[in-house]
Amino acid sequence: MKRRDFVGLTSLAAGALFLPGIPSFGGTLVDPERLLETVDPALKKRLADAALNAAKSAGATYADVRIGRYLNQSIFTREKQVQNIASGESYGAGVRVLANGNWGFAATNTVTEAGLAKAAQLAVAIAKANAKVQKGQVNLAPQQGYGEVSWKTPIQQSAFEVPIAQKVELLLAANAKALDNGASFVNSSLFQINEQKYFASTDGSYIDQDVHRIWPTFGVTAVDRASGKFRTREALSAPMGLGYEYLTPKAADKIAGPAGTGLIGYKNSYDMLEDAALAAQQAKGKLTAKSVTPGKYDIVLDPNHLGLTIHESIGHATELDRVLGYEANYAGTSFATLEWKAKKQPYGSKLVNIFADKTQPGSLGAVGYDDEGVKTKQWDIIKDGTLVDYQKIRDQAAIVGQEESDGCCYAQSWQDVQFQRMANISLKPGQQKMSVDDMIKGVDKGIYIAGRGSYSIDQQRYNFQFGGTVFYAIEKGKIVGQLEDVAYQANTQEFWNSCAAICDESDYRLFGSFFDGKGQPSQVSAVSHGSSTTRFNGVNIINTARKVG
Amino acid sequence: MAILSKDEAQNILKKVLSFSTADECEATLSGQTGGNVRSARNAISTSGAVDNVQLSVEARFGKRSGVATCNEFDDATLRRCVQRVEEIARLAPESPEYMPLLGPQQYLDGSKAFVQSTANITPDYRAQQTAASLNLCEKRKLTSAGFLNDTAGFTARRNSKGLEAYQPYTSLEYSVTVRTPDGTGSGYAVADYNDASKFDAGRLTQIAADKAAGSVAAKAIEPGKYTVILEPAASVELLSNMMESMDARAAGEGRSFLSKKGGGIKKGEKLFDERVSIYSDPSSADLPGRVFAGDGRPQKRVAWIEKGVVKNLYSSRFWAQKAGIPDLPAPGGWIMEGGTQSVQDMIKGTAKGILVTRLWYIRAVDPQTLLYTGLTRDGTFYIENGKIKHPVKNFRFNESPIIMLNNLEALGKPQRVDGNLVPPLKIREFTFTSLSDAV
């Protein structure tokens, strides 16, 4: 099968070329109808065998092949108009081999038996060339073959099956809600992803997977021309491993936020119109909100905010490739070295239990098997405040004396080599019954923070600073009004050791990062972080207001 | 296939336009070829190669438009591409921000952006350069991690209104982080070129290695306001963020640091020290750039900030017309004027201060004031009486480039970094807000 000769297209308004500020997924722009197509697994098996046989004939001791159709659609609007709609497809195959003890990788978009065989031969040639200048050898954890298996994200409705007009209508309706509630400007967007991935290896696996993700979001801006002040409130949706059903709001998925805020937490479905209306009111509220007095506060963090703090201060810090130095030139290393772990120093308070997982339904990281053919699982990272494990893949397990991968290997497309990526890293809910209002009742001087804002952390994951989307002052157990200019600065270990209370499971929700970057050349991946609302005591709050001009 | 000549590229584009029946049609052909090598723990970790050509076609009927892409160039494919995009354009809603396609344009000579030696780079060259870095670190008992990436490419454009554009280009980027084996010292160097013959991984690794060895046993000093010397690799991202915020539409809509109280924009206002001048010039010998923007508009020499005064803002064609301002695309790279002093000269002239090699994880805190936060990294040193006294632990900063460029003490000789020319900057009262244990 040869797909290079297809013609792609996009529709509506101006094309992406006119919109340099707007992110694009890449791939070839295609007819939206094309996003509904699939490739026959029997054909993919024949193609995969051609690659594996060619690799073995050329001298590979191990080979895997990933044949992937990576499909995406993004819709951008502002106020009453559509800015851009783009549907993309990227189809090809990547072959990874071990030869003379070293990795080699090559990719091709000529998806024919001959094309894949040629890529396999090139991968072996690269592995052999690298082996000449390398001193060590790859030690790959053994992996059983699964035979012919398949997995699909448990969605109710593919977002690609929903007419574009219906999706545009939803975004424009959300914009109208924001404008009706006093927004000066509103930008909204909808990102949809489908990865049709076929993995095969010389271990004897032939794994066909159909992975779906979705992210509706917006930014609402209020401008006060007289004072020259402007403030933006971002959506409180989460990118999810769900289909279009995420955009059909269900009462059972709504969790009331703290009394006095009007906020609503969303579980497995999202009410975009409701959130857009509240966003406009809160954006206006931010224009006149009290500027925070810096100092120590007890902070209460909503799951839609805390997820990013977990991501940066625990998720990245416990990736074994960072710990070992493979990311030293880009994102950096980690304080949580093998030596540090051996000392069993407290990462957090006894309440802190963090687990990694690649299986939670609705999460961005959920797949049946990772991109090197390992069945996914859930495992502990921090138990009762102590670091107990890392996130690792097949060529890292032996380095820490383990015998199997954790199943968190991923490549953003067929043309990129797979490497260790963050699993869903989540905080276990509190064991005792506690709602967010129960939690706030116990806070004398505090700040409640929801949504993601500015975030920055050092290259070894010690010192971080986080803002948020909305802030509320807590005084004597009650929310007393919006705050502005808030950011907290902390050290990872001090922060997690100040964890004083966690709401129960009924408050548990997922936060997500759709475009987590790592590696050189940089690759993105999508990952979720679950938590319930959590309290941290005595955290350093700074005031971020400045006067310029 | 990746690097087509002007004639080869324009012949394909002419054919595309000849197949079109739309009111307006524009086609863009672009290609890149190149490769990369990544290393860590004193060994090559990954390597890859890129070779790609892509055609993008836009068709318009009145104010309706559609865009399509393809990556095969036989007549049947091209014809089908044009037919399908025209079908889509007919079905599209009218764009309220429609602007007619540009007619013929005059472009600067862009030939200096392409250097044959860079286009000739082989896998062996990449391996040799990387090996030079790895060997140097091994000899000095240090640990190296680096990334080398080179590209040769072209962009060609043609439309039914008579616009015709073509430019080839080359680039090479290299960065290296060197650490001591015990993790107590770290250094960094980075550079980019059009001309690979100027590149020497060993020389850059030497700089990073010296910083790594010199940053061991860093002392903690109190955070606060300090005089700093920001090397170009440290200041470039803050300044780039400021330049990327000079969009006329955001300013006009009241949501930019360049929005005026009560309405209007701060064009013509003096916002910075009078020694601050930033311009773009694609014909610069030191920074040859793209001579046309992504929408075909010419890139020319443009003063953005001159003697501290905001001279121009960039804009879409639609907004420029609506607001009645010059129709200037965002620059590809920018040049900040500086002086003649080296970083060493600037250290000699400093009684007390901090030398910053690099700033990291920079994120916007407040778009209203352009307040950013981030951290120092890979070589932070205390200066006393004109000399580096000792390494210091890294800091978190919270600072705005607007404030920074008002607290200017001195500018050094501009260096090329991240596609820009940036002088080392000596700044007083730079705000460090906390310490970091990170090395």
Side-chain angles (χ1 to χ4, degrees):
Chain A
M1 180 172 179
K2 186 171 166 70
R3 294 286 290 271
R4 285 182 67 211
D5 61 352
F6 66 67
V7 174
L9 38 93
T10 183
S11 63
L12 297 182
L17 293 173
F18 289 98
L19 301 158
I22 287 175
S24 121
F25 286 113
T28 303
L29 298 173
V30 295
D31 186 334
E33 291 289 315
R34 197 176 187 91
L35 304 181
L36 301 174
E37 296 174 11
T38 57
V39 180
D40 178 12
L43 170 64
K44 289 192 278 194
K45 183 170 187 298
R46 277 205 306 280
L47 292 165
D49 280 334
L52 299 179
N53 291 335
K56 282 189 285 190
S57 299
T61 54
Y62 167 84
D64 59 42
V65 54
R66 292 176 296 110
I67 302 168
R69 280 186 83 223
Y70 290 76
L71 309 171
N72 63 72
Q73 186 177 81
S74 46
I75 304 174
F76 299 92
T77 75
R78 64 170 289 172
E79 290 92 52
K80 296 176 180 175
Q81 71 195 68
V82 176
Q83 287 178 287
N84 192 30
I85 297 171
S87 303
E89 176 195 43
S90 178
Y91 184 56
V95 185
R96 185 178 67 153
V97 303
L98 269 181
N100 293 353
N102 277 271
W103 286 123
F105 175 77
T108 180
N109 62 350
T110 304
V111 192
T112 60
E113 291 183 29
L116 265 71
K118 194 174 161 193
Q121 287 153 1
L122 178 58
V124 172
I126 289 170
K128 288 181 175 174
N130 285 348
K132 287 179 197 163
V133 297
Q134 297 283 69
K135 295 184 180 76
Q137 293 219 333
V138 172
N139 187 350
L140 200 61
Q143 177 59 49
Q144 69 167 106
Y146 295 108
E148 290 185 51
V149 291
S150 64
W151 185 89
K152 181 176 180 173
T153 306
I155 58 169
Q156 290 166 26
Q157 185 180 26
S158 166
F160 296 141
E161 289 171 0
V162 178
I164 286 176
Q166 186 180 332
K167 294 183 269 197
V168 166
E169 192 180 333
L170 175 68
L171 295 184
L172 293 180
N175 294 359
K177 278 281 181 192
L179 295 169
D180 289 348
N181 281 275
S184 307
F185 302 101
V186 53
N187 292 77
S188 60
S189 50
L190 179 62
F191 300 97
Q192 305 137 84
I193 296 270
N194 175 212
E195 296 178 350
Q196 298 173 1
K197 304 198 285 194
Y198 190 82
F199 173 92
S201 77
T202 49
D203 293 328
S205 286
Y206 295 90
I207 302 168
D208 197 25
Q209 298 195 92
D210 185 19
V211 183
H212 292 256
R213 298 194 283 270
I214 190 166
W215 184 24
T217 189
F218 60 74
V220 168
T221 302
V223 178
D224 177 11
R225 290 275 184 179
S227 67
K229 202 169 174 180
F230 62 93
R231 286 289 184 271
T232 297
R233 199 282 225 171
E234 306 289 342
L236 295 176
S237 58
M240 299 290 286
L242 291 171
Y244 200 72
E245 66 273 11
Y246 182 58
L247 283 160
T248 303
K250 297 172 199 72
D253 284 326
K254 295 184 182 182
I255 302 169
T261 64
L263 286 163
I264 292 161
Y266 300 101
K267 285 194 166 181
N268 289 319
S269 64
Y270 173 56
D271 192 332
M272 198 171 195
L273 305 191
E274 177 182 69
D275 193 29
L278 181 63
Q281 294 158 19
Q282 289 181 326
K284 281 195 299 178
K286 285 160 79 77
L287 290 172
T288 53
K290 188 183 159 199
S291 190
V292 72
T293 304
K296 299 271 186 191
Y297 290 81
D298 295 346
I299 58 175
V300 177
L301 303 181
D302 175 78
N304 205 304
H305 170 89
L306 182 58
L308 190 51
T309 308
I310 294 170
H311 176 92
E312 297 287 8
S313 65
I314 299 177
H316 280 308
T318 57
E319 292 181 290
L320 190 56
D321 59 352
R322 291 190 56 127
V323 169
L324 297 172
Y326 286 102
E327 292 292 322
N329 187 50
Y330 186 50
T333 57
S334 174
F335 74 88
T337 59
L338 305 184
E339 297 76 23
W340 186 88
K341 177 174 172 285
K343 290 179 195 164
K344 297 191 185 307
Q345 295 187 42
Y347 204 117
S349 74
K350 294 281 185 195
L351 294 176
V352 177
N353 286 285
I354 296 281
F355 64 99
D357 108 89
K358 292 281 294 175
T359 59
Q360 187 179 337
S363 72
L364 295 167
V367 286
Y369 305 83
D370 77 353
D371 280 352
E372 54 180 2
V374 178
K375 199 168 180 18
T376 55
K377 64 175 185 180
Q378 177 179 320
W379 70 105
D380 288 327
I381 298 292
I382 295 174
K383 269 183 100 167
D384 302 327
T386 303
L387 178 66
V388 295
D389 207 348
Y390 297 103
Q391 306 162 64
K392 67 197 90 64
I393 58 173
R394 289 184 68 185
D395 62 4
Q396 298 170 335
I399 299 172
V400 287
Q402 295 187 16
E403 290 179 355
E404 65 175 47
S405 160
D406 293 323
C408 53
C409 195
Y410 176 78
Q412 69 177 3
S413 86
W414 55 269
Q415 61 189 322
D416 297 286
V417 69
Q418 61 267 58
F419 69 132
Q420 190 264 305
R421 297 308 304 258
M422 195 188 298
N424 299 318
I425 298 289
S426 299
L427 175 67
K428 283 186 183 165
Q431 296 299 306
Q432 302 193 345
K433 189 167 168 47
M434 182 184 285
S435 69
V436 63
D437 282 332
D438 295 337
M439 181 176 278
I440 284 171
K441 268 181 209 160
V443 176
D444 193 47
K445 178 197 172 193
I447 298 172
Y448 175 82
I449 304 176
R452 64 189 283 172
S454 177
Y455 54 99
S456 169
I457 189 163
D458 70 42
Q459 77 277 14
Q460 289 191 307
R461 309 278 142 173
Y462 287 103
N463 175 308
F464 60 72
Q465 177 176 318
F466 286 93
T469 295
V470 281
F471 313 95
Y472 284 87
I474 305 168
E475 288 177 14
K476 296 186 175 25
K478 283 189 177 161
I479 296 278
V480 294
Q482 270 183 263
L483 280 178
E484 267 301 278
D485 311 322
V486 179
Y488 57 97
Q489 265 184 18
N491 168 289
T492 292
Q493 293 159 58
E494 286 173 14
F495 177 80
W496 284 103
N497 275 284
S498 76
C499 177
I502 305 174
C503 287
D504 64 45
E505 195 164 7
S506 66
D507 192 59
Y508 183 88
R509 279 161 278 155
L510 292 176
F511 162 92
S513 171
F514 220 56
F515 299 110
D516 183 32
K518 182 177 167 184
Q520 288 175 306
S522 187
Q523 293 189 41
V524 296
S525 79
V527 62
S528 293
H529 303 288
S531 66
S532 301
T533 304
T534 304
R535 173 179 173 176
F536 298 85
N537 284 352
V539 178
N540 183 36
I541 298 288
I542 64 165
N543 182 299
T544 60
R546 295 290 187 278
K547 282 205 164 151
V548 295
Chain B
M1 179 73 182
I3 308 297
L4 299 185
S5 70
K6 182 179 177 180
D7 286 347
E8 288 170 329
Q10 291 294 345
N11 283 340
I12 292 174
L13 296 176
K14 277 180 199 167
K15 198 179 284 180
V16 170
L17 297 184
S18 75
F19 293 151
S20 172
T21 59
D23 295 344
E24 298 177 291
C25 185
E26 185 162 74
T28 304
L29 194 62
S30 59
Q32 305 86 33
T33 181
N36 60 69
V37 173
R38 191 179 198 205
S39 60
R41 291 160 59 104
N42 282 353
I44 290 171
S45 51
T46 59
S47 55
V50 177
D51 190 351
N52 188 35
V53 181
Q54 184 159 293
L55 173 72
S56 170
V57 183
E58 184 188 5
R60 295 169 168 201
F61 293 95
K63 295 181 178 180
R64 303 171 196 275
S65 77
V67 178
T69 63
C70 69
N71 57 2
E72 289 227 326
F73 309 109
D74 58 278
D75 283 9
T77 305
L78 296 178
R79 197 183 291 275
R80 199 147 61 92
C81 178
V82 172
Q83 283 170 353
R84 295 299 298 278
V85 73
E86 291 185 358
E87 287 167 21
I88 288 295
R90 283 194 183 93
L91 294 171
E94 291 195 340
S95 168
E97 298 187 3
Y98 165 83
M99 293 290 291
L101 291 178
L102 291 168
Q105 301 289 310
Q106 289 293 315
Y107 298 118
L108 296 170
D109 172 15
S111 58
K112 279 188 288 189
F114 180 89
V115 181
Q116 193 61 45
S117 65
T118 312
N120 292 343
I121 284 178
T122 62
D124 276 347
Y125 170 90
R126 290 179 205 119
Q128 283 162 16
Q129 288 280 2
T130 303
S133 173
L134 302 180
N135 292 341
L136 186 149
C137 288
E138 211 154 77
K139 270 186 202 154
R140 291 185 60 175
K141 296 192 166 39
L142 297 167
T143 306
S144 162
F147 183 60
L148 167 61
N149 187 51
D150 57 84
T151 305
F154 75 96
T155 307
R157 195 178 186 92
R158 190 175 191 91
N159 73 25
S160 55
K161 292 281 191 70
L163 180 142
E164 184 181 340
Y166 173 84
Q167 187 182 19
Y169 59 88
T170 50
S171 67
L172 183 153
E173 303 94 39
Y174 180 72
S175 61
V176 60
T177 302
V178 178
R179 294 174 65 79
T180 58
D182 64 358
T184 60
S186 186
Y188 178 73
V190 62
D192 65 277
Y193 313 86
N194 293 76
D195 181 357
S197 67
K198 295 177 181 170
F199 169 56
D200 179 353
R203 186 182 63 78
L204 291 161
T205 305
Q206 187 76 44
I207 294 168
D210 289 346
K211 289 203 173 200
S215 63
V216 172
K219 295 180 182 175
I221 61 173
E222 281 296 308
K225 289 187 182 288
Y226 286 91
T227 293
V228 294
I229 296 172
L230 300 179
E231 292 197 27
S235 63
V236 64
E237 192 175 332
L238 282 174
L239 297 172
S240 287
N241 287 345
M242 182 183 79
M243 295 300 295
E244 285 165 14
S245 301
M246 294 184 71
D247 173 46
R249 184 170 193 167
E253 291 178 340
R255 41 178 170 169
S256 156
F257 79 105
L258 293 172
S259 304
K260 257 186 183 172
K261 262 186 198 177
I265 63 174
K266 292 183 177 175
K267 186 177 170 182
E269 291 194 10
K270 184 171 179 297
L271 295 187
F272 310 102
D273 183 286
E274 64 190 12
R275 288 168 292 175
V276 175
S277 291
I278 300 177
Y279 65 97
S280 55
D281 182 3
S283 60
S284 159
D286 296 320
L287 190 71
R290 310 288 177 91
V291 294
F292 52 92
D295 62 0
R297 281 184 286 173
Q299 291 280 18
K300 297 174 180 167
R301 182 180 168 119
V302 177
W304 302 99
I305 299 166
E306 196 170 83
K307 295 182 177 171
V309 175
V310 176
K311 297 298 282 187
N312 281 295
L313 284 73
Y314 68 84
S315 173
S316 66
R317 291 176 58 215
F318 165 77
W319 189 260
Q321 188 183 64
K322 182 172 171 157
I325 56 172
D327 177 6
L328 300 170
W334 45 267
I335 298 165
M336 182 170 182
E337 290 180 4
T340 55
Q341 287 190 314
S342 66
V343 170
Q344 288 308 317
D345 295 335
M346 294 169 85
I347 292 170
K348 276 181 199 162
T350 301
K352 279 184 182 176
I354 291 169
L355 174 67
V356 180
T357 299
R358 182 184 184 191
L359 296 177
W360 163 249
Y361 220 128
I362 298 171
R363 289 291 182 274
V365 176
D366 184 355
Q368 181 104 49
T369 58
L370 291 191
L371 185 73
Y372 289 93
T373 191
L375 298 113
T376 64
R377 177 176 171 179
D378 301 324
T380 311
F381 303 94
Y382 188 66
I383 304 165
E384 199 171 84
N385 299 325
K387 286 183 179 161
I388 288 184
K389 192 83 173 168
H390 55 76
V392 291
K393 287 183 78 164
N394 285 309
F395 292 105
R396 171 171 296 287
F397 70 89
N398 275 266
E399 191 55 274
S400 163
I402 309 171
I403 296 170
M404 197 173 102
L405 294 178
N406 275 287
N407 292 347
L408 192 60
E409 292 278 301
L411 303 100
K413 188 178 175 192
Q415 298 168 28
R416 183 161 164 174
V417 59
D418 199 19
N420 307 292
L421 277 176
V422 189
L425 300 173
K426 186 170 165 183
I427 310 285
R428 64 180 177 275
E429 296 182 7
F430 191 87
T431 310
F432 292 121
T433 53
S434 56
L435 279 172
S436 161
D437 290 323
V439 176

